[in-house]
Amino acid sequence: MSSDAVKKRKPKVIRSETGTPETKRGRAESEQPSAVSVHVKFRKVRLRQVQVTFPPGPHLIGQRKLFTAKNQDVRVYNEEVELEGRDPQQDYTLYKETCAALAKLMSEIQELKTSGAKDGSAEIELRRKQSSIHFITLKKLNRLAHMRLKKGRDQTHEAKQRVDVLHLQLQNLLYEVMHLQKEIGKCLEFKSQHEEIELVSEDEFFQDAPAEISRPQVTREDHHQLTLARLDWELEQRKRLAEQYKTSLSSKEKIQKAIEQKREYLSSLQPGLHNIMQASLPVQEYLSMPFEHMQKQAEVARHLPPPLYVLFVQAGAYGQACDKNLTVSIRGDVDEAKALSRPPEDSQDDESDSDAEEEQQNTKRRRPTVGVQLDDKRKEMLRRHPLSLGIDLKCKDGSVLHLYFYYLMNLNILTVKTKVSTSVDLSGAISAGELLNSESLLNCLYASDHGNETPNPANRYQFDKVGITTFADYVSDLGHPYVWVQKLSGLQFSSDAAQSELSGSALSASHMEKSMKLLRGRLQSRLALHKQFSSLEHSIVPVSSECQHLFPAKVVSGLTRWTMMSHQEFTELSFVQHVLKAGLVSETDLFFKAVVERGTARLLAAVVVNPRYPEVTPLFSLSLLWKGERSGRTDDNLRAMESEVNVFRVELQGPRPGLQLLTNQIQRLCMCLDVYLETESQVSDGSEGPKEFPREKMCLRTARGPSRLKPFKYNHPQGFFSHR
């Protein structure tokens, strides 16, 4: 035990004969047990010759050992020495016994107090003294426990220090080992420059090298001399090869000069070949073999986006194989397309960054507003590819349908614009103004394909980001994104009603022929309607010779007016409300008004022409102004007239493709009005009829059935009318 530790000890109270200082010391220790257990290592107690009598009960733990110091009058008591000879298990057992005895004394004191004993009675005082002795015992056990804990911590700390010392020594040794291994590795990995030279094998060296260099009697036994000899032989070989290289280089220069002379000769031939190609252009056109044009188109086609390229290849193949009147061409800025497909270069980015920094330093610009930013984002999203595709469909009458296909890069869809050019002037018919309108010419080429909304469902989320509500607002500038256009380019989206397993070129090829036939048929039908409308506006119903047998030789009722009207005007008519409720009309249809008159009778007809005419029959709704107003809802015979015009398409369409259907319907309407007026007076009063409508049609029966229907069916060649 060191002297410093002895100096740090706190002196304890000296025992007195009455034991009162000992009791005070016990209270002080109970108030500060941690200070006693941490700082106290020795206790010095001055003892007097006192006779102590222990009360009955558990005695103090063990026997206190007394030591005599230099001063014989003072004896020192050391609990640490006592701690070495004590058993912790016995102390634990004594602790439990003391606690039990203390609890028993407390209960006895409680019983005495409850039985009426006073606080100063001898029995209670005796038990209190015994309890105090037990408390002293518990305090001693507490000190011993703290001393054991500190001793264990000290031992653990000393063991940790020994382990740390050993671990440090181990790390030093490992570091030395690692250093030695690195040095050994460096020595093993050391390479001389001659090791990088690929020398010939030893067998080849002794076979080819002369004796003055190889010296086999020396080199076969000494590896070092063998390496030096092989290096000498390598030097000799390289000198010889260097001479050969100079010779070969001189011969190469001679050959290059000869090649340059031949190249100049070939370049001089190019103008002559170009003149020959220009002279052969008429021959290529005459033989329908435009090789030069096809070659230029193929070079430009490499810069087309994939959808336009698929359409270019498939349309060209279909034109060569099936339709000689179909031509395909590429339009747009090729240089811009090349720049678009070229990957960005870092140098350009650096230059642009430096330019932007200079502009920021030289000028102060206002930040764009939110509206301007949205407009820029919309323009970028709706940006078209620099190249577009043009397809021209020529008809036999010389008219041409021009189709221009554009690819919207960010939306991944194709749009189409149309233009019609004819050999004759088509500005005569006023009511035919919408027939060849580029905005509605291709509406409903396939059923329900209006081309106002994008077929790509992903575009809806892209539009939400830039504030676009509907694509229909941009159709006039960008074109119509019809579904059939996407399929012709090999694009197919999940929103399509009928999903196909085909994709790409196969999907385009499967729709190419049908789409081209529909496009040509649409142009022919619109041109035919345009020609017919010109006659109808002059009150002439053109009937072809193939359809003359459908009507009698004389039809008195005639068309007096043919005009076009809007969808709003059509919905305001009272006699077409049943058609609107049935959903037989859409805003994409064409609406016309026809007036047929005979005498004082005036028949109004509201005509709905579907964009898919003549595949879809025009729809007639009738209203008769004669002796009041009648319509198909109030007059059964007018309903029968509507049926004659609307239902019996097979009889009225004429020769295929049925382009005379509309005029035949109007002519039949005039014929049915004659029958209606000539037989109406006969039904009413039984007379021969007024002079206004003399009976000129031969009818087997003028009326039949409870509804008194009139005979509207014309029988050719007999020339009479009968009921159906």
Side-chain angles (χ1 to χ4, degrees), residues 487-524:
K487 292 183 179 180
L488 287 183
S489 61
L491 295 175
Q492 187 174 15
F493 305 103
S494 58
S495 61
D496 296 345
Q499 284 286 330
S500 174
E501 296 181 357
L502 303 176
S503 62
S505 300
L507 179 63
S508 176
S510 64
H511 288 77
M512 182 63 66
E513 184 175 3
K514 182 178 179 181
S515 298
M516 293 301 149
K517 289 182 178 179
L518 289 175
L519 289 170
R520 184 173 275 108
R522 175 62 61 87
L523 178 61
Q524 292 175 352

Side-chain angles (χ1 to χ4, degrees), residues 383-632:
R383 183 184 176 190
R384 296 190 300 199
H385 194 274
L387 296 180
S388 61
L389 202 64
I391 297 179
D392 297 338
L393 289 173
K394 298 181 181 179
C395 297
K396 295 180 180 179
D397 58 355
S399 59
V400 182
L401 175 62
H402 305 279
L403 301 173
Y404 305 106
F405 296 90
Y406 303 95
Y407 178 65
L408 305 184
M409 298 180 290
N410 295 320
L411 300 182
N412 191 29
I413 59 174
L414 252 69
T415 59
V416 63
K417 284 188 173 184
T418 59
K419 181 183 177 182
V420 178
S421 59
T422 58
S423 57
V424 296
D425 186 16
L426 298 178
S427 60
I430 299 175
S431 61
E434 292 294 326
L435 290 178
L436 299 179
N437 186 4
S438 60
E439 296 296 327
S440 59
L441 179 60
L442 301 182
N443 280 351
C444 298
L445 187 66
Y446 288 86
S448 302
D449 190 3
H450 302 288
N452 291 326
E453 294 296 336
T454 171
N456 189 354
N459 297 155
R460 180 70 269 161
Y461 302 97
Q462 294 175 294
F463 291 163
D464 292 340
K465 292 182 179 179
V466 296
I468 297 178
T469 57
T470 176
F471 189 76
D473 299 337
Y474 304 90
V475 163
S476 58
D477 297 331
L478 301 176
H480 293 266
Y482 296 108
V483 176
W484 59 269
V485 175
Q486 318 306 319
K487 292 183 179 180
L488 287 183
S489 61
L491 295 175
Q492 187 174 15
F493 305 103
S494 58
S495 61
D496 296 345
Q499 284 286 330
S500 174
E501 296 181 357
L502 303 176
S503 62
S505 300
L507 179 63
S508 176
S510 64
H511 288 77
M512 182 63 66
E513 184 175 3
K514 182 178 179 181
S515 298
M516 293 301 149
K517 289 182 178 179
L518 289 175
L519 289 170
R520 184 173 275 108
R522 175 62 61 87
L523 178 61
Q524 292 175 352
S525 65
R526 292 298 173 91
L527 292 175
L529 284 175
H530 198 284
K531 184 178 180 180
Q532 293 169 9
F533 287 176
S534 298
S535 300
L536 294 177
E537 288 182 358
H538 292 83
S539 301
I540 300 173
V541 181
V543 179
S544 62
S545 58
E546 294 87 352
C547 301
Q548 290 290 345
H549 65 280
L550 299 175
F551 314 103
K554 183 179 180 181
V555 179
V556 181
S557 299
L559 179 69
T560 60
R561 187 179 179 187
W562 175 265
T563 57
M564 186 177 183
M565 58 181 175
S566 63
H567 179 262
Q568 181 66 27
E569 295 173 345
F570 179 83
T571 56
E572 293 175 355
L573 299 176
S574 59
F575 57 92
V576 299
Q577 299 304 316
H578 63 288
V579 178
L580 296 174
K581 292 179 181 180
L584 301 177
V585 178
S586 64
E587 295 183 2
T588 57
D589 296 335
L590 302 175
F591 304 95
F592 302 92
K593 185 178 181 179
V595 180
V596 180
E597 295 182 354
R598 180 180 178 182
T600 58
R602 189 165 181 260
L603 180 65
L604 303 179
V607 186
V608 180
V609 180
N610 192 279
R612 299 172 64 196
Y613 172 87
E615 183 180 351
V616 179
T617 307
L619 182 63
F620 283 71
S621 299
L622 305 179
S623 175
L624 179 62
L625 302 177
W626 181 62
K627 296 180 181 181
E629 184 177 358
R630 312 175 190 181
S631 65

Side-chain angles (χ1 to χ4, degrees), residues 300 330-337 385-389:
V300 177
I330 300 176
R331 303 154 52 90
D333 191 348
V334 181
D335 295 333
E336 186 178 354
H385 194 274
L387 296 180
S388 61
L389 202 64

